[in-house]
Amino acid sequence: MAKKAIVLEGGSLRCMFSAGVTDIMMEQKIEFDGLFGVSAGALTGVNYVSRQIGRTAKVNLDYVNDKRYLGLRNFMRRKGIFNFDFLFGDICDTLVPLDKKTFHESSCCYTAVATSCLTGKPLYFEKSSCQDIYSAIRASASLPLFSPIVLVEGIPCLDGGVSDSIPYQRAIEEGYEKIVVVTTREHGYRKPQVSHAMAKLYTRVYRKHPNLVRQLLEIPRRYARQLDELDRLEAQGRVYVLRPPKPITISRTEKDLYKLRALYQEGRDTCLQQLEALSHYLDTSFSPRKL
C-alpha cells in the first residue's frame, strides 16, 4: 500500500483554515503515515497526530485575546509576541490538555521543520528521534523579529518557513507516494519582495547570522518557485493540494473571533467539498460520514 503523508504550511493564525481541514480528516477517519508541519502548521499537526478534534481551534479562539498568550506585553518581556511558555505550559498541561501519550505513541511519523540560524538551511526534527520535539515545534513556529531564537539540540533555530515554507519535497525524498498539501494561501498568491527597509532590519537584527539573513531575503522568490512546482506536481497527480478558495485577509495576529471562526469553517467546508476527490487520490475506500 502506498505511503501517505500530509504537509501543513504555516501562516500564524491563518492555520485556522488548516485546523478546519484536519478536523474534517479526523472526523472522517483519514489517516496518514507521515506529517510534515511548518510553523503554525507544526502546531496544528501536533493535534492531528494526537487525534484531538477541535483543539487547534479551541486554543486559538479561547486565548487569542488573552494577554498571557498573544500581545505586545509578551514581546516586551520575552521578545516574542506569542507566549510559548504559556502555550506549552499552562495550555498544554491543564487548560486545553495535549494528549502527549497519543501523540508520542502514534505510528504517524511527525516532523517539525525549523531553520538553522547558522546555515540558513531547513532542519527536519522527527518526534521519534529528536531529543526534545517540543523545542523543535517551538522553534518551527518562532517568527523572525517577533520571537527569540530557540536552541534545538544545541542549534539556534527559527521559523521553518524561512527556509522551507511547504516541505512537500522532503516528503517525496522520504518515499511518500501520496502527498496531501494544505496551504494557507489561495491559488496564485505570491509574496511581495522584501523591502529595502526590511532588508536593513534583518541585516541589523541578525548580523551574527548572515546565512539566515540571505534566506530571509530569498523567501519571496523561493516561495514562488515552490508554488510553481506544486502546480506542476498537482497537474501530474503526484500531490493533492487543499487551498483556501479565496484570499485570506486576516493578519498573523488576528483577534477578531468572527473572522477566525469563519476561516475555520472555510477549511472544514473546503475539505468536505473535496472528500470524494481526496478519497480517489488516496486510493481509499472510506465513505464520507454524516457530520
Side-chain angles (χ1 to χ4, degrees):
M1 184 175 291
K3 286 178 61 181
K4 304 177 180 69
I6 183 169
V7 175
L8 302 177
E9 184 184 9
S12 196
L13 287 170
R14 293 198 306 273
C15 75
M16 289 295 284
F17 176 82
S18 307
V21 168
T22 52
D23 278 355
I24 288 295
M25 288 181 174
M26 285 189 278
E27 291 166 4
Q28 296 292 334
K29 309 299 183 185
I30 302 173
E31 298 185 356
F32 294 90
D33 303 294
L35 183 147
F36 299 80
V38 175
S39 196
L43 294 170
T44 303
V46 170
N47 299 316
Y48 176 83
V49 176
S50 67
R51 313 308 291 176
Q52 290 177 273
I53 298 170
R55 185 174 182 273
T56 297
K58 181 172 178 58
V59 169
N60 287 326
L61 292 172
D62 286 2
Y63 294 99
V64 72
N65 288 301
D66 189 320
K67 293 179 180 179
R68 293 174 296 174
Y69 179 50
L70 171 63
L72 290 177
R73 185 176 67 172
N74 293 322
F75 187 75
M76 298 300 293
R77 290 183 174 182
R78 301 177 178 83
K79 300 188 183 303
I81 196 165
F82 284 94
N83 182 359
F84 287 135
D85 290 336
F86 181 59
L87 175 61
F88 287 100
D90 291 349
I91 291 180
C92 282
D93 294 340
T94 58
L95 297 173
V96 191
L98 172 66
D99 186 347
K100 294 182 179 180
K101 183 174 186 294
T102 297
F103 173 68
H104 285 285
E105 293 180 355
S106 171
S107 61
C108 180
C109 296
Y110 171 93
T111 301
V113 185
T115 298
S116 167
C117 296
L118 301 178
T119 66
K121 295 181 178 180
L123 297 171
Y124 303 93
F125 296 102
E126 209 277 313
K127 70 177 170 74
S128 65
S129 57
C130 181
Q131 297 172 9
D132 183 359
I133 190 62
Y134 299 107
S135 288
I137 297 167
R138 182 171 182 155
S140 180
S142 291
L143 300 172
L145 302 180
F146 293 101
S147 304
I149 289 172
V150 179
L151 283 179
V152 186
E153 298 181 346
I155 303 171
C157 296
L158 278 174
D159 189 346
V162 172
S163 56
D164 193 355
S165 298
I166 314 174
Y168 58 87
Q169 189 59 47
R170 180 69 175 189
I172 292 173
E173 292 169 358
E174 292 195 5
Y176 290 95
E177 299 164 84
K178 299 288 185 176
I179 302 169
V180 175
V181 179
V182 183
T183 73
T184 57
R185 290 293 193 182
E186 74 282 2
H187 187 262
Y189 173 83
R190 292 295 184 271
K191 292 181 182 291
Q193 295 302 308
V194 178
S195 68
H196 180 66
M198 185 60 71
K200 288 181 64 177
L201 182 59
Y202 283 146
T203 302
R204 184 171 73 250
V205 173
Y206 299 115
R207 58 188 178 280
K208 294 181 179 179
H209 301 293
N211 291 323
L212 176 67
V213 173
R214 279 191 284 273
Q215 286 285 41
L216 286 164
L217 300 180
E218 180 64 18
I219 287 175
R221 289 181 288 272
R222 184 175 57 256
Y223 189 68
R225 290 195 297 269
Q226 285 191 315
L227 292 181
D228 288 343
E229 185 177 18
L230 267 183
D231 283 348
R232 290 193 294 271
L233 292 171
E234 186 178 28
Q236 296 166 7
R238 184 66 180 87
V239 302
Y240 189 98
V241 186
L242 284 157
R243 305 178 178 88
K246 59 180 184 293
I248 293 179
T249 58
I250 70 168
S251 69
R252 285 180 176 271
T253 57
E254 184 64 61
K255 290 178 176 288
D256 187 322
L257 296 183
Y258 175 82
K259 290 182 179 179
L260 293 172
R261 290 193 185 99
L263 183 56
Y264 172 72
Q265 188 60 48
E266 194 169 85
R268 291 181 62 89
D269 292 343
T270 298
C271 192
L272 280 171
Q273 291 162 8
Q274 297 190 42
L275 277 178
E276 186 174 346
L278 184 60
S279 173
H280 178 73
Y281 169 75
L282 292 172
D283 195 24
T284 58
S285 58
F286 73 85
S287 298
R289 300 163 180 260
K290 293 183 179 180
L291 302 175

